[in-house]
Amino acid sequence: MLFYFTGTGNSLLAAHRLASSDEKLINMADAVNSGKFSYIVPENENVGFVFPVYFYSVPDIVERLCRRLKLKNQNYVYAVITCGGSIGGSGGLLREMLSKRNIELNNVFELLMPDNAMLFYNIPNGSEVSERLVNAEKNLSGIKNKISAHEIKVIKGRAAAKIGRTAYRLFRSTKKFCVDNSCVGCGLCAKNCPDKAIEMKGGKPHWIKDACTKCTACINRCPSKAIQYGKATVKRNRYVNPILGGK
Ligand SMILES: Cc1cc2nc3c(=O)[nH]c(=O)nc-3n(C[C@H](O)[C@H](O)[C@H](O)COP(=O)(O)O)c2cc1C
Ligand code: SF4
Ligand code: SF4
């Protein structure tokens, strides 16, 4: 059983590479939005959590699932956290959240992927992104072997994640999102938002929640590059993992 959360596809790609052919993939956003928090894990099946790090911490949707999750049967439990640089103490924070639900996290793997954090700075594109994707595939096969061997590791470092989580909370406002005239009204931003924070009104997106998970799906995946976050993002690159086919 593999729980995943993604904004721009990196963690979805990792989830697909790690899942066995008959393993169930559960989208954490769908689980939270539909209020499904209880699961029966098939006998001898691993439980995986695959998601991106935000502010060296855990995305809000992942936290909302983990704080209420109930698992019947648990075997080997692992997390693969994707990042643009480092996962910091996010693994320790996840371990703490899960242990409050009587779920023991046995290992956390860091997976370096292309950075999608274009709200803060200009992210790389071109060959740097391609190189990262090639290396990520190699790292994923190593991680898959360790998961198969049920490798166990002591998971530390939640202090840095707690500081990051405070910064993340302050940053979750949707106020700075806006849309320019190049919007073609396709509605993909609203469809792709895992937090249901966008509604189409009069053929244009409107942010209907004061705060969101800040996954960057809307701004990175808009086919017209019509969404901005203040003025700074106009000239910045966008990123979408090829697994999403540019959408
Ligand atoms: C709001 C936000 C915060 C982020 N914070 C971090 C971070 O603290 N450290 C890091 O290495 N990458 C950070 N990133 C980059 C993503 O974790 C990384 O690109 C990830 O692979 C994206 O996964 P996804 O494509 O599945 O959404 C951040 C991205 C966003 C949108
Ligand atoms: S995805 Fe882009 S073009 Fe499509 S409705 Fe949203 S802002 Fe407009
Ligand atoms: S509004 Fe945009 S950044 Fe916020 S959760 Fe939705 S898609 Fe992600």
Side-chain angles (χ1 to χ4, degrees):
M1 181 168 286
L2 200 158
F3 294 89
Y4 75 91
F5 172 68
T6 194
T8 56
N10 288 342
S11 311
L12 179 68
L13 177 122
H16 276 279
R17 296 291 184 269
L18 295 169
S20 51
S21 54
D22 52 351
E23 192 169 359
K24 200 171 175 191
L25 285 179
I26 296 160
N27 181 332
M28 297 199 218
D30 291 345
V32 168
N33 290 327
S34 64
K36 179 148 174 47
F37 296 102
S38 298
Y39 297 85
I40 300 170
V41 183
E43 214 175 316
N44 298 325
E45 197 170 286
N46 298 333
V47 177
F49 296 89
V50 183
F51 60 86
V53 63
Y54 290 169
F55 286 80
Y56 298 129
S57 181
V58 171
D60 181 61
I61 280 187
V62 176
E63 179 162 352
R64 272 151 64 197
L65 177 84
C66 292
R67 292 216 178 273
R68 294 178 65 185
L69 190 62
K70 272 191 198 158
L71 293 183
K72 191 165 175 201
N73 304 334
Q74 52 169 293
N75 310 301
Y76 179 72
V77 182
Y78 68 90
V80 173
I81 306 182
T82 71
C83 65
S86 157
I87 65 168
S90 52
L93 190 65
L94 181 73
R95 177 181 50 78
E96 187 183 273
M97 283 174 200
L98 291 176
S99 76
K100 289 187 179 150
R101 309 300 301 160
N102 295 319
I103 301 165
E104 190 191 347
L105 186 61
N106 300 120
N107 208 338
V108 173
F109 302 94
E110 174 175 286
L111 180 65
L112 192 64
M113 276 279 190
D115 197 343
N116 71 352
M118 46 72 70
L119 303 179
F120 314 115
Y121 43 78
N122 198 17
I123 51 173
N125 64 359
S127 59
E128 238 180 284
V129 168
S130 320
E131 260 171 51
R132 281 240 171 149
L133 288 171
V134 170
N135 286 333
E137 294 284 2
K138 286 184 204 148
N139 292 336
L140 273 165
S141 40
I143 291 172
K144 197 166 180 173
N145 290 339
K146 289 179 180 174
I147 291 169
S148 301
H150 288 187
E151 185 196 83
I152 289 177
K153 199 166 63 200
V154 179
I155 303 150
K156 296 189 225 152
R158 73 183 167 76
K162 286 210 163 162
I163 299 166
R165 191 159 57 143
T166 307
Y168 176 40
R169 276 192 187 141
L170 296 173
F171 178 74
R172 285 185 42 226
S173 163
T174 56
K175 260 199 196 117
K176 279 174 79 181
F177 281 117
C178 55
V179 63
D180 64 33
N181 290 336
S182 58
C183 170
V184 294
C186 67
L188 272 177
C189 48
K191 183 172 161 270
N192 290 337
C193 176
D195 228 348
K196 300 196 180 298
I198 303 175
E199 229 173 65
M200 294 300 287
K201 290 179 197 164
K204 299 275 181 257
H206 289 256
W207 281 260
I208 53 163
K209 285 187 173 177
D210 293 337
C212 73
T213 289
K214 276 292 169 61
C215 70
T216 70
C218 54
I219 190 163
N220 270 311
R221 294 167 66 181
C222 168
S224 308
K225 229 178 148 178
I227 297 179
Q228 304 301 339
Y229 190 72
K231 285 186 188 143
T233 54
V234 176
K235 290 189 177 157
R236 288 184 191 159
N237 296 321
R238 274 29 178 194
Y239 171 73
V240 188
N241 188 290
I243 199 169
L244 293 172
K247 289 181 188 157

